[in-house]
Amino acid sequence: MDPEDVRQDWANRTGRFSPTHYAHIGPNEISNILANVSSHYAREDAAILELGCGSGRHLAHLLDNGFENLHGIDINEESFSVMDEQYPRLADTGEFHTGPLEEFLPEVEDNAFDVVYSVETLQHIHPEDEWVFEAVARVSADLVITAENEGNSPDRGRGEFDVSYVDDEFPLYHRDWKQVFSDRGLAQLLKEPTKRDTVRVFRTP
């Protein structure tokens, strides 16, 4: 798949892995870790950005834990109509953008957010668009948090393959996330594996 095919697949996704799908699942273990990490390392008024926020289940959990300066970007326009229905307080409180990261991030000022995080979003960035990782580091004034699949589940991230296909349909690119952000000058503070993903917390210089 070329980069535009990957983006369009997520922009038009319905059914499984759609904004509605994740809204019905609701906050989970990753949501709790994000809230705990943010409470430990960031101020309550910290500006927090989720990359690939979907309908906002993780941001809604942050809101429930006292964070109100919340922002999100998602490529699927349906995300925000689902948010209006499922998480109306978040929809009224936060600031949200529709579009691909590749268009959004270049327009964001340096150090615009205190915390920038991704939950199973950066793993779908096409290799031709890996400059996005530099932009993620650039727009964070303090923390970058990744919760990406690193082979925790039995059929992902194993072996010598750089990419696997979820449901034989869309690509998941396997990367060494510590190396990705260490190469961009960030220091890893925390690594916490979960059943599905590995959460890593990085601090900017």
Side-chain angles (χ1 to χ4, degrees):
M1 298 179 73
D2 67 28
E4 186 58 24
D5 288 338
V6 175
R7 288 189 286 268
Q8 287 304 310
D9 188 59
W10 286 105
N12 299 315
R13 179 151 295 276
T14 59
R16 194 175 183 214
F17 305 121
S18 70
T20 300
H21 169 89
Y22 286 113
H24 289 163
I25 294 174
N28 62 0
E29 180 183 11
I30 298 295
S31 309
N32 290 329
I33 294 173
L34 290 168
N36 290 338
V37 167
S38 299
S39 296
H40 182 77
Y41 287 108
R43 305 182 314 273
E44 200 168 75
D45 64 349
I48 300 177
L49 170 68
E50 180 174 2
L51 307 171
C53 65
S55 52
R57 61 179 179 149
H58 303 302
L59 288 168
H61 192 66
L62 287 172
L63 182 60
D64 289 342
N65 280 269
F67 295 93
E68 296 187 352
N69 192 355
L70 302 174
H71 306 256
I73 167 72
D74 201 275
I75 196 170
N76 191 322
E77 189 172 0
E78 180 193 10
S79 298
F80 305 108
S81 59
V82 176
M83 182 187 293
D84 286 340
E85 297 173 1
Q86 298 290 326
Y87 305 111
R89 189 163 75 97
L90 174 65
D92 290 341
T93 301
E95 180 177 328
F96 302 100
H97 308 269
T98 304
L101 299 184
E102 295 87 343
E103 294 179 7
F104 171 74
L105 287 171
E107 302 299 320
V108 178
E109 295 183 359
D110 293 1
N111 304 318
F113 301 98
D114 299 296
V115 180
V116 178
Y117 73 87
S118 158
V119 179
E120 297 187 359
T121 293
L122 295 182
Q123 64 192 23
H124 298 297
I125 295 292
H126 193 280
E128 292 181 20
D129 290 325
E130 288 187 350
W131 59 266
V132 162
F133 307 143
E134 184 74 36
V136 171
R138 178 184 61 79
V139 304
S140 175
D142 191 12
L143 300 178
V144 171
I145 306 172
T146 59
E148 307 293 343
N149 192 292
E150 299 187 17
N152 310 44
S153 63
D155 58 348
R156 301 276 163 75
R158 303 291 186 181
E160 301 300 320
F161 298 101
D162 293 331
V163 60
S164 61
Y165 287 84
V166 181
D167 292 349
D168 296 321
E169 181 183 359
F170 56 88
L172 187 161
Y173 300 100
H174 305 294
R175 297 178 170 102
D176 180 338
W177 293 105
K178 181 179 181 181
Q179 191 68 48
V180 165
F181 286 104
S182 295
D183 286 349
R184 289 156 177 85
L186 280 64
Q188 181 171 289
L189 301 179
L190 175 71
K191 172 188 174 183
E192 184 166 345
T194 71
K195 183 177 179 180
R196 180 182 176 91
D197 299 310
T198 297
V199 178
R200 296 180 185 269
V201 181
F202 300 91
R203 175 151 274 162
T204 61

